[in-house]
Amino acid sequence: MTPTPEQDAALSPIMKAPIARQVFVCTGSSCAANGSEAVLAAFRALLTERQVLFQKGSTDGTVLCTTCGSVGFCAIGPAVLVYPDGVWYAHVRPEDVPELVEAHILGGEPVARLVRKRVG
Amino acid sequence: MTPTPEQDAALSPIMKAPIARQVFVCTGSSCAANGSEAVLAAFRALLTERQVLFQKGSTDGTVLCTTCGSVGFCAIGPAVLVYPDGVWYAHVRPEDVPELVEAHILGGEPVARLVRKRVG
């Protein structure tokens, strides 16, 4: 039998966390070769500093930040996806992360100069 | 200078693809140990059969299917996320994939018995 949601919630604190947005940083081979790990690190550091990152010891965070596999932005990466907004960014560098966090992740306004696709 | 969207579109066909949904299958270590690669393969096979998967040679596909890193469902995986819907599934097995594809990915109705979180 599949466990119930109540049973699962005891094992998975994120089930009750108030996640509002999820940031995916592509770590496919092309994006990785273009520095996406540094972009991921920059997001995690700044989101931690702003006290919004969901992570161990901070389970009331409203933002989750994970890797993802290739989305076809191989030639224009590093790619960063923000959902549920459905906004895809290309050419993201660590120095773009403060603007992306303040304007979009916290402020709700996508950063138009780096947007290359909208989903949904 | 950052390339323009027009320049990027010539290099990245997915920019013009009519993607309606993205399915993320967690391949973090716990989900992988619980069979998430087989879940990913099942999604890709069925979405290909239904002619909706965006992939090389099928760039008008409306569904993208990729991996993602851990989302904190480690104890209740394999985890599958569907965006922009913001629906997270737990305990997904390859045999659940036909229902998830037909009801939700193609039909728009999440499969309640496996939903364990909603985002956004």
Side-chain angles (χ1 to χ4, degrees):
Chain A
M1 292 289 294
T2 305
T4 65
E6 293 67 29
Q7 290 169 323
D8 284 343
L11 297 172
S12 180
I14 199 169
M15 274 183 61
K16 301 206 166 168
I19 304 294
R21 285 195 167 92
Q22 183 165 2
V23 178
F24 295 90
V25 178
C26 179
T27 49
S29 54
S30 298
C31 285
N34 260 318
S36 67
E37 287 289 351
V39 172
L40 178 64
F43 268 110
R44 287 187 170 156
L46 182 54
L47 293 168
T48 297
E49 182 187 316
R50 299 292 257 107
Q51 301 183 294
V52 295
L53 185 66
F54 177 91
Q55 56 187 323
K56 193 169 284 188
S58 184
T59 53
D60 59 350
T62 57
V63 181
L64 181 63
C65 183
T66 65
T67 61
C68 72
S70 177
V71 296
F73 271 21
C74 309
I76 64 172
V80 171
L81 285 51
V82 181
Y83 278 113
D85 311 57
V87 172
W88 291 21
Y89 294 104
H91 308 293
V92 179
R93 302 288 168 194
E95 54 266 35
D96 298 313
V97 168
E99 182 180 2
L100 292 168
V101 166
E102 301 300 335
H104 185 177
I105 309 303
L106 300 177
E109 283 296 323
V111 177
R113 68 184 174 83
L114 296 174
V115 174
R116 290 297 180 274
K117 188 169 186 64
R118 298 218 180 222
V119 167
Chain B
M1 291 290 295
T2 304
T4 65
E6 292 69 28
Q7 290 170 322
D8 285 342
L11 297 172
S12 179
I14 200 169
M15 275 183 60
K16 300 205 167 168
I19 305 293
R21 286 196 166 92
Q22 184 165 0
V23 178
F24 295 90
V25 178
C26 179
T27 49
S29 53
S30 298
C31 285
N34 260 318
S36 66
E37 287 288 351
V39 173
L40 178 65
F43 268 110
R44 287 187 170 156
L46 183 53
L47 292 168
T48 297
E49 183 185 317
R50 299 293 257 107
Q51 301 183 293
V52 295
L53 186 65
F54 177 92
Q55 57 188 321
K56 193 169 285 190
S58 183
T59 53
D60 59 350
T62 57
V63 181
L64 180 63
C65 183
T66 64
T67 61
C68 71
S70 177
V71 296
F73 271 21
C74 309
I76 64 173
V80 172
L81 285 51
V82 181
Y83 280 112
D85 311 57
V87 172
W88 290 21
Y89 294 104
H91 308 292
V92 179
R93 302 287 166 194
E95 54 266 34
D96 299 313
V97 168
E99 183 180 2
L100 291 168
V101 166
E102 301 300 334
H104 186 177
I105 308 305
L106 299 177
E109 282 297 322
V111 177
R113 68 184 174 82
L114 296 174
V115 174
R116 290 297 180 274
K117 188 168 186 67
R118 298 219 180 221
V119 167

